[in-house]
């Protein structure tokens, strides 16, 4: 089979290698062998490939890729939930999805809803699990509250928009391009703001009648936290799913008078029960049509280096990029 390997933690052009004639993974008693049709590309992949995500300690060489979708080709003797030809999607901390085949523990695999394609299935796991954990598990969102989603045109942002809308929240989003703003509106946002506009904080406060927003999904807390504090309502929750480069700017004194909570969000801390709860919600939403994964740019396996280098670049963050297998 063909598979991508991280060969070193050096520069992107040096560290990725696509290898042919790699042996297929072996199937153990409790594992499922999946032929990958599409693999998800997540922002965290760049940090993992650079050796900068210490919660998943790996050493080269290894095959990256945290999630994907495909078809079951073989199951272990103890597997009861799957059979060959089943359509599935999956998320695994052991990675391995940037390959034509991957062996996964049965508990890591889910049946792919018939309503969506393999390409959409590759969008489903990491973004929607993250969004659910942020809004529901950690944010404790309540019907009628207002949520602000930074970077709402990206994969996690769009998942947040859709989940928030399905929970009857008032949804505000930010995006820096006209295309991104339109996409955010199409995926459930009531109002969208350009976070590059110098007065976007005032605009958002005006949209909340000066009360501020109840929840904020934050992707770059080191840069935006001061603005988040200004925009938060009393008792607001700032849900940090990303930090970004640089050091924290400014003072945290504004937290105290409004008793704002800064809440860390990380899938690495979620239990299997947390995942099962989220998957049940996500799959129900997909079947109902309220959650519709948005596929971004598609790459071939041979273009993985380009795909990783493009993460975060303007006009490459509309939806979730994927690797589509031939």
């Amino acid at each position: 089979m063909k598979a991508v390997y991280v060969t070193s933690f050096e520069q992107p052009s040096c560290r990725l290698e696509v290898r042919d004639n790699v042996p297929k993974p072996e199937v153990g008693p409790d594992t499922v062998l999946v032929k990958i049709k599409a693999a998800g590309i997540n922002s965290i992949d760049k940090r993992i490939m650079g050796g900068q995500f210490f919660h998943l300690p790996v050493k080269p060489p290894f095959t990256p890729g945290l999630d994907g979708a495909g078809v079951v080709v073989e199951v272990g003797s103890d597997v009861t939930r799957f059979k060959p030809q089943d359509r599935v999607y999956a998320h695994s901390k052991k990675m391995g999805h940037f390959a034509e085949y991957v062996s996964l523990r049965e508990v890591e695999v889910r049946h792919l809803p018939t309503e969506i394609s393999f390409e959409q299935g590759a969008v489903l796991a990491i973004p929607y699990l993250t969004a659910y954990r942020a809004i529901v598990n950690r944010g404790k969102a309540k019907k009628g509250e207002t949520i602000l989603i930074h970077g709402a045109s990206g994969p996690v942002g769009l998942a947040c928009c859709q989940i928030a809308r399905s929970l009857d929240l008032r949804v505000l989003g930010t995006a820096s391009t006209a295309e991104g703003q339109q996409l955010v509106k199409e995926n459930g946002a009531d109002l969208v703001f350009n976070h590059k506009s110098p007065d976007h904080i005032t605009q958002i406060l005006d949209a909340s009648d000066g009360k501020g927003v109840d929840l904020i999904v934050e992707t770059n807390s080191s840069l935006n936290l001061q603005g988040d504090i200004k925009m938060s309502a009393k008792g607001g929750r700032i849900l940090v799913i990303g930090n970004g480069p640089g050091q924290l700017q400014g003072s945290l004194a504004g937290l105290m008078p409004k008793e704002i909570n800064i809440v860390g969000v990380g899938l690495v801390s979620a239990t299997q029960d947390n995942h099962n709860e989220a998957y049940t919600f996500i799959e129900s939403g997909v079947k109902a049509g309220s959650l519709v994964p948005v596929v971004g740019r598609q790459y071939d396996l041979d273009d993985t280096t380009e795909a990783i280098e493009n993460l975060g670049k303007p006009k490459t963050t509309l939806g979730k990029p994927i690797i589509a297998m031939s």
Side-chain angles (χ1 to χ4, degrees):
M1 72 171 187
K2 181 182 286 188
V4 172
Y5 278 84
V6 175
T7 58
S8 71
F9 290 143
E10 301 300 327
Q11 294 300 311
S13 60
C14 303
R15 73 184 186 219
L16 290 182
E17 178 181 302
V18 180
R19 299 179 181 176
D20 294 307
N21 301 317
V22 176
K24 290 182 185 178
E26 295 183 358
V27 178
D30 67 340
T31 61
V32 176
L33 183 64
V34 177
K35 180 176 175 57
I36 294 296
K37 296 291 189 178
I41 303 171
N42 300 282
S43 59
I44 194 64
D45 289 328
K46 199 165 191 175
R47 291 180 61 195
I48 293 171
M49 294 180 190
Q52 299 169 340
F53 192 70
F54 304 112
H55 301 291
L56 292 179
V58 289
K59 294 182 179 180
F62 66 91
T63 296
L66 289 162
D67 56 359
V71 177
V72 174
V73 294
E74 187 178 349
V75 299
S77 58
D78 295 338
V79 172
T80 59
R81 293 173 46 239
F82 301 97
K83 65 183 185 303
Q85 300 306 312
D86 281 351
R87 300 169 76 250
V88 296
Y89 72 107
H91 156 51
S92 174
K93 293 179 182 178
K94 292 186 177 180
M95 298 179 287
H97 287 85
F98 288 7
E100 292 181 319
Y101 293 87
V102 61
S103 182
L104 302 159
R105 293 183 300 128
E106 182 178 17
V107 72
E108 297 171 327
V109 183
R110 302 287 300 189
H111 288 283
L112 182 66
T114 57
E115 291 81 3
I116 60 175
S117 65
F118 290 116
E119 291 78 12
Q120 290 174 299
V123 178
L124 204 54
I126 297 293
Y128 285 84
L129 289 175
T130 302
Y132 185 90
R133 184 149 185 82
I135 296 171
V136 179
N137 293 150
R138 303 290 287 149
K140 309 296 184 186
K142 302 178 184 67
K143 181 179 179 179
E145 289 189 314
T146 298
I147 186 170
L148 171 65
I149 301 161
H150 284 297
S153 62
V156 176
L158 291 171
C160 284
C161 287
Q162 294 177 10
I163 288 176
R165 169 59 65 192
S166 74
L167 294 172
D168 292 325
L169 304 182
R170 183 174 185 237
V171 183
L172 312 181
T174 72
S176 62
T177 67
E179 298 93 332
Q181 291 165 22
Q182 180 61 35
L183 184 63
V184 174
K185 289 180 182 177
E186 292 170 356
N187 282 274
D190 296 285
L191 296 170
V192 186
F193 305 87
N194 186 340
H195 58 257
K196 290 188 176 181
S197 173
D199 64 343
H200 74 279
I201 292 176
T202 299
Q203 294 174 20
I204 292 168
L205 283 170
D206 288 345
S208 68
D209 295 326
K211 298 176 182 178
V213 298
D214 302 294
L215 300 102
I216 297 177
V217 178
E218 180 53 74
T219 57
N220 191 351
S221 59
S222 61
L223 179 64
N224 297 328
L225 196 56
Q226 292 302 305
D228 293 339
I229 292 171
K230 291 179 182 178
M231 291 184 287
S232 288
K234 288 184 178 180
R237 289 90 78 199
I238 301 172
L239 310 171
V240 178
I241 65 171
N243 185 54
Q247 299 296 315
L248 185 65
Q249 299 180 6
S251 168
L252 298 181
L255 296 173
M256 293 177 283
K258 293 194 283 186
E259 294 189 327
I260 298 165
N261 293 294
I262 299 177
V263 183
V265 180
L267 277 187
V268 72
S269 295
T271 66
Q272 189 59 52
D273 285 343
N274 293 147
H275 284 330
N276 292 341
E277 173 192 324
Y279 280 132
T280 298
F281 177 92
I282 293 164
E283 290 160 11
S284 175
V286 169
K287 291 175 183 177
S290 59
L291 304 183
V292 183
V294 179
V295 179
R297 184 172 175 180
Q298 300 188 36
Y299 298 87
D300 293 329
L301 202 60
D302 291 328
D303 299 326
T304 302
T305 294
E306 178 188 359
I308 298 302
E309 290 176 342
N310 281 341
L311 285 171
K313 290 183 178 180
K315 297 189 178 182
T316 64
T317 55
L318 303 180
K320 179 175 175 177
I322 66 168
I323 295 173
M325 306 293 181
S326 57

